[in-house]
Amino acid sequence: ANIFSSQGEYAKALEMSKAAYELRKDLGEPRLVISSLMELGLIQQQAGETEAALQSFLKADSAAVHLNDPTTK
C-alpha cells in the first residue's frame, strides 16, 4: 500500500490497506490491527480524506488503550 501511496495512487493504496486491515482483524492480532488502522489513516490523510483518517486514528487509539488496559484481559 505504501508504494501505491508514494506514487499518488491513493485508490489502490486504500484498497490494499483496507484488505490488510480486514485480514489482520480476522486473524485476531490486536497489534497488527492497530498498525493497519494507523497505516490506513495515513493513506486517507494523504488522499485528502481527513474525516475518514480521523476515524481510523481514533479506532487505533481506542484499540491501543483497550490492549493496554489490564481490566480487559
Side-chain angles (χ1 to χ4, degrees):
N2 290 331
I3 292 172
F4 291 112
S5 177
S6 68
Q7 295 174 347
E9 296 183 41
Y10 299 117
K12 186 68 173 173
L14 287 169
E15 177 185 331
M16 301 286 291
S17 186
K18 288 176 183 177
Y21 165 71
E22 291 298 328
L23 177 64
R24 290 172 171 180
K25 190 170 70 167
D26 290 345
L27 291 173
E29 294 290 336
R31 285 179 173 79
L32 295 178
V33 169
I34 293 165
S35 174
S36 289
L37 285 166
M38 292 300 295
E39 179 180 331
L40 181 58
L42 289 172
I43 295 169
Q44 289 166 323
Q45 185 178 32
Q46 291 171 341
E49 298 179 11
T50 54
E51 185 58 37
L54 176 60
Q55 293 307 310
S56 293
F57 292 140
L58 289 173
K59 283 182 185 177
D61 181 64
S62 177
V65 168
H66 186 267
L67 180 66
N68 291 314
D69 184 350
T71 65
T72 62
K73 295 184 174 115

